[in-house]
Amino acid sequence: MSEKRPFIDYISQKRWLTHFLFWTVMFSVFVVLATINSGLFVTSVANYLALLPFQILAAYLLNYYQIPKLLLQKKYWAFGGSVLLSAYLFSALGRISIVHLVEPFIREDFTQESIQEILQDWAYLFSSYFPAIYIYALIMFFIKAFKRRFEEKHRIEILQKEKATNELKFLRAQIQPHFLFNTLNNLYALTLAKSDVAPEVVLKLSEILDFILYQSDERTIAIEKEIELIKAFIELETLRYGNRLNCLFKHESKSTNVQIAPLLLLPLVENAFKHGTKGGAERVNIEIDLAATEEQVIFTISNDKAQEVKNQSITASSSGIGTSNLERQLALNYPEKHQLQINETHTTYTVALTIDLK
């Protein structure tokens, strides 16, 4: 069973129906206003019916030919002359229609103007009939202008969203080769040393890549999946460093409905291992704390500086592709709804990330 489309969507897709509704509504509104003013319903209906053909011609001629084909093409003299001529012609025809077709049936005693007299009285035509004829054309013009502006704004918003989506895909794609390159380097070192854990590293790597390549395309994922990814990465690094690694990962999620953009936290974890293990430190200390609610995610990660970098500054700009990539992803996914703080001492490096999910 097909899903029913909303009535407004159906109308907007039927151009003839939108025009029919426009003229029906406009005619009804002006008849009601004229009736309120004069108290004569039949007379008001008859007069507006007599003017309607010329109002329709004027509206479509102005909005579909004179403005787009003359005015917007900078044919100003042609536009001005065309508008003056058509305004005079439609006003005169409207006046002739009322005087010779309507008034004989609704007025008993009146002096009927000849067609020549009507054509010669151009001042009356432009002062009285021109506004009545072209009021619809002007309303149609403003509706079309508003519609074009709305569609243009909507088109720009779509393009901006597509650009942001494509940039996010590119940023996430950057993580894949970066992570793979680092892990393959580690695997190569284990292979040279003929380590027994090399096969386990390959297996764990395949699990992580499965997530990165095939499960991270969604705009948001459950926070539990991000937690499992971090756990898998820690297990991978544990295989490499063994007893040298002291990594404490505390995580708490107070709701199963917490959603977060994928691959936001992994770059921070990877950077912590990268900088905490430089120089072959005898002990690698890393602490990770993740607290998540439906309103907020707070992620803190801290690592000891390796001996060779204790006298250096691990700034955001020097911490590799991970941090700069993360900052851009945060700007796209959570504009003005995140806070990234980096605290550095002589011996430790700490990153605190807060994301507002409201």
Side-chain angles (χ1 to χ4, degrees):
M1 185 175 179
S2 61
E3 187 176 333
K4 293 184 178 179
R5 291 182 298 174
F7 182 63
I8 294 179
D9 290 344
Y10 175 79
I11 292 176
S12 64
Q13 294 175 11
K14 301 292 184 179
R15 193 174 182 183
W16 67 268
L17 185 55
T18 60
H19 285 262
F20 174 78
L21 289 175
F22 169 80
W23 288 108
T24 301
V25 171
M26 289 296 99
F27 178 81
S28 302
V29 168
F30 280 93
V31 166
V32 169
L33 293 176
T35 302
I36 293 174
N37 184 52
S38 65
L40 303 173
F41 175 72
V42 175
T43 299
S44 299
V45 171
N47 286 334
Y48 275 97
L49 279 176
L51 294 176
L52 188 60
F54 312 110
Q55 293 167 329
I56 293 174
L57 289 172
Y60 287 110
L61 180 63
L62 179 68
N63 286 286
Y64 288 91
Y65 177 73
Q66 291 170 330
I67 290 178
K69 302 297 184 181
L70 299 178
L71 180 62
L72 298 183
Q73 298 298 323
K74 298 182 180 181
K75 299 177 181 179
Y76 301 122
W77 286 105
F79 171 75
S82 175
V83 170
L84 286 174
L85 180 61
S86 59
Y88 171 76
L89 179 61
F90 293 139
S91 298
L93 290 174
R95 176 62 176 157
I96 292 171
S97 178
I98 287 180
V99 170
H100 288 269
L101 297 179
V102 176
E103 289 188 347
F105 295 98
I106 62 175
R107 294 179 62 181
E108 296 180 357
D109 183 22
F110 74 102
T111 301
Q112 189 178 65
E113 297 174 289
S114 66
I115 293 178
Q116 183 178 357
E117 290 175 324
I118 292 174
L119 294 176
Q120 290 175 346
D121 194 3
W122 59 268
Y124 183 70
L125 292 176
F126 276 95
S127 63
S128 297
Y129 278 82
F130 171 75
I133 295 292
Y134 273 83
I135 183 65
Y136 296 91
L138 292 175
I139 293 174
M140 182 181 286
F141 170 78
F142 285 116
I143 290 176
K144 284 176 64 65
F146 176 80
K147 181 174 177 287
R148 280 195 300 268
R149 184 176 180 84
F150 175 80
E151 290 175 344
E152 180 67 16
K153 182 179 179 182
H154 182 61
R155 186 182 69 85
I156 293 174
E157 288 177 351
I158 291 176
L159 290 175
Q160 289 175 338
K161 288 181 181 179
E162 289 179 350
K163 179 182 177 182
T165 300
N166 291 333
E167 187 175 351
L168 279 172
K169 289 181 179 179
F170 173 74
L171 291 170
R172 291 171 187 171
Q174 280 186 313
I175 295 176
Q176 298 167 14
H178 178 253
F179 168 78
L180 183 59
F181 176 76
N182 288 342
T183 307
L184 288 178
N185 274 343
N186 297 339
L187 181 60
Y188 177 69
L190 292 172
T191 304
L192 288 179
K194 297 182 180 181
S195 172
D196 294 334
V197 302
E200 294 183 60
V201 171
V202 174
L203 180 62
K204 187 59 64 176
L205 174 62
S206 67
E207 294 176 2
I208 297 175
L209 286 179
D210 176 70
F211 175 86
I212 293 177
L213 293 173
Y214 303 112
Q215 301 181 44
S216 62
D217 288 337
E218 300 296 329
R219 184 167 182 82
T220 60
I221 60 172
I223 190 69
E224 286 79 9
K225 287 188 176 181
E226 194 79 6
I227 292 173
E228 291 302 318
L229 179 63
I230 295 173
K231 285 182 177 179
F233 183 82
I234 294 173
E235 290 174 7
L236 181 63
E237 294 297 290
T238 300
L239 289 173
R240 179 187 177 193
Y241 292 106
N243 294 330
R244 289 175 55 205
L245 177 63
N246 176 31
C247 182
L248 178 61
F249 180 27
K250 295 186 295 182
H251 53 87
E252 180 184 8
S253 180
K254 295 184 179 180
S255 172
T256 58
N257 298 323
V258 179
Q259 297 282 318
I260 188 174
L263 300 179
L264 280 182
L265 307 181
L266 181 62
L268 294 176
V269 178
E270 189 180 3
N271 274 343
F273 278 90
K274 174 184 175 182
H275 295 292
T277 58
K278 276 186 176 180
E282 294 182 0
R283 191 69 172 167
V284 179
N285 296 304
I286 297 175
E287 292 186 10
I288 307 172
D289 192 357
L290 173 62
T293 67
E294 291 187 6
E295 296 183 348
Q296 193 176 58
V297 171
I298 301 176
F299 181 79
T300 306
I301 184 165
S302 177
N303 63 273
D304 290 346
K305 282 186 179 180
Q307 186 64 36
E308 69 175 38
V309 295
K310 284 185 177 181
N311 297 324
Q312 302 174 8
S313 176
I314 309 175
T315 61
S317 61
S318 66
S319 57
I321 190 175
T323 306
S324 59
N325 185 305
L326 171 65
E327 289 175 342
R328 185 57 185 157
Q329 286 201 61
L330 287 169
L332 291 171
N333 283 295
Y334 304 102
E336 299 181 359
K337 289 188 175 183
H338 69 273
Q339 186 175 11
L340 182 65
Q341 293 182 326
I342 300 175
N343 298 315
E344 186 176 1
T345 67
H346 182 65
T347 58
T348 61
Y349 183 77
T350 303
V351 178
L353 173 61
T354 303
I355 301 174
D356 186 2
L357 302 179
K358 293 184 292 184

